[in-house]
Amino acid sequence: MPLTGHLAELRKRILYSLAAVLAGTVICLFFIQNLISLLTAPAGHLYFARPAEVFVIYMKTAVIAGFILASPVVFFQFWRFILPAMTDRERTWTILFVPLSVALFLGGIGFSYFFVMPQSLHFLMAFGGENFTPLLSMESYLEFVLLMILPFGVIFNMPLLMTALSLAGLVQGKTLKKGRKFIILGSFILAAVITPTPDILTQSLLALPAIGLYEISLHFIGLLEKAKNRRL
């Protein structure tokens, strides 16, 4: 396929994904009160300072929740775009990629929401001690929540992405093993940049799963390469 064909295919996949996200957003708007109650439960009472702040927060929440709701379609479009780069045998693996992508994405979000975010919130709320009384706005709190949960959903898909790159012949296991030390260092640097809290515990809760998933990816890619060499 020429470059223009790839660009046309990419455009089509993006439009399908945007349509799915839009539909998911509309659905989530009908349940926005329940979503807000779920997200704000760990923080308790919140306030808003501007007349339009609640409306903007509701819309942002609906869009993010719509993306999560539409994630099966989005991930399907992603894998469908890279499918032509694979052989017929490799394409059989992609049958599992869509449900696994969604499961890992939602698993990462759940891990962050139930384990990482409460720890970070407790650290920040207690950091001021008795001298300061926390007064959280809806906007600042929900931005904090989104920054805490979405990166985990993306990082938890690392094994599938690396496996897909290996199946497409773009990366090799030995190359990835040589870059292990850089991945470890980069994981902690990325965690320090992404996480909105300065404590090492929260950053480790993001970096260590990323490193573990990287090691799982290396092991799985090694098994695939051994199986491929035996067939040859």
Side-chain angles (χ1 to χ4, degrees):
M1 184 182 297
L3 178 60
T4 53
H6 286 293
L7 293 176
E9 181 71 10
L10 178 61
R11 178 179 176 273
K12 182 173 69 172
R13 300 302 165 191
I14 292 176
L15 289 177
Y16 286 163
S17 298
L18 290 176
V21 172
L22 178 61
T25 300
V26 172
I27 294 173
C28 290
L29 282 173
F30 287 99
F31 304 95
I32 192 63
Q33 293 290 349
N34 304 86
L35 291 173
I36 294 295
S37 298
L38 177 65
L39 291 175
T40 58
H45 182 71
L46 300 173
Y47 77 95
F48 64 95
R50 299 188 303 273
E53 185 173 341
V54 176
F55 174 77
V56 173
I57 288 300
Y58 278 22
M59 293 304 299
K60 286 183 179 180
T61 303
V63 171
I64 298 298
F67 173 80
I68 296 174
L69 184 63
S71 58
V73 178
V74 175
F75 283 110
F76 173 78
Q77 297 301 326
F78 171 76
W79 293 118
R80 186 66 182 83
F81 175 70
I82 68 173
L83 200 64
M86 301 180 181
T87 64
D88 292 337
R89 186 179 184 88
E90 291 167 347
R91 289 176 186 177
T92 58
W93 288 97
T94 61
I95 298 176
L96 300 175
F97 279 10
V98 173
L100 284 176
S101 296
V102 176
L104 288 172
F105 181 72
L106 298 179
I109 289 177
F111 174 77
S112 177
Y113 180 80
F114 290 106
F115 296 102
V116 181
M117 192 188 71
Q119 173 65 34
S120 302
L121 185 63
H122 175 74
F123 173 83
L124 292 177
M125 297 287 283
F127 192 77
E130 298 180 355
N131 298 323
F132 300 95
T133 300
L135 189 62
L136 297 177
S137 69
M138 290 184 62
E139 184 176 15
S140 60
Y141 172 75
L142 289 177
E143 286 180 356
F144 166 80
V145 171
L146 295 178
L147 286 173
M148 287 302 303
I149 64 175
L150 290 182
F152 281 84
V154 176
I155 288 176
F156 269 53
N157 269 276
M158 184 186 297
L160 287 185
L161 180 59
M162 293 177 60
T163 301
L165 293 175
S166 176
L167 290 173
L170 299 178
V171 296
Q172 293 182 340
K174 60 181 181 180
T175 303
L176 295 174
K177 288 180 181 179
K178 291 180 180 178
R180 179 184 281 116
K181 58 183 179 181
F182 299 106
I183 294 297
I184 295 175
L185 176 62
S187 297
F188 280 96
I189 294 176
L190 182 63
V193 174
I194 292 178
T195 55
T197 61
D199 61 302
I200 188 64
L201 178 59
T202 302
Q203 295 170 10
S204 298
L205 288 174
L206 177 59
L208 293 178
I211 295 171
L213 292 169
Y214 181 79
E215 295 295 333
I216 293 174
S217 303
L218 285 180
H219 179 71
F220 190 66
I221 289 173
L223 294 177
L224 290 177
E225 290 179 346
K226 288 180 181 179
K228 185 177 181 180
N229 292 334
R230 283 197 297 267
R231 290 196 302 269
L232 296 176

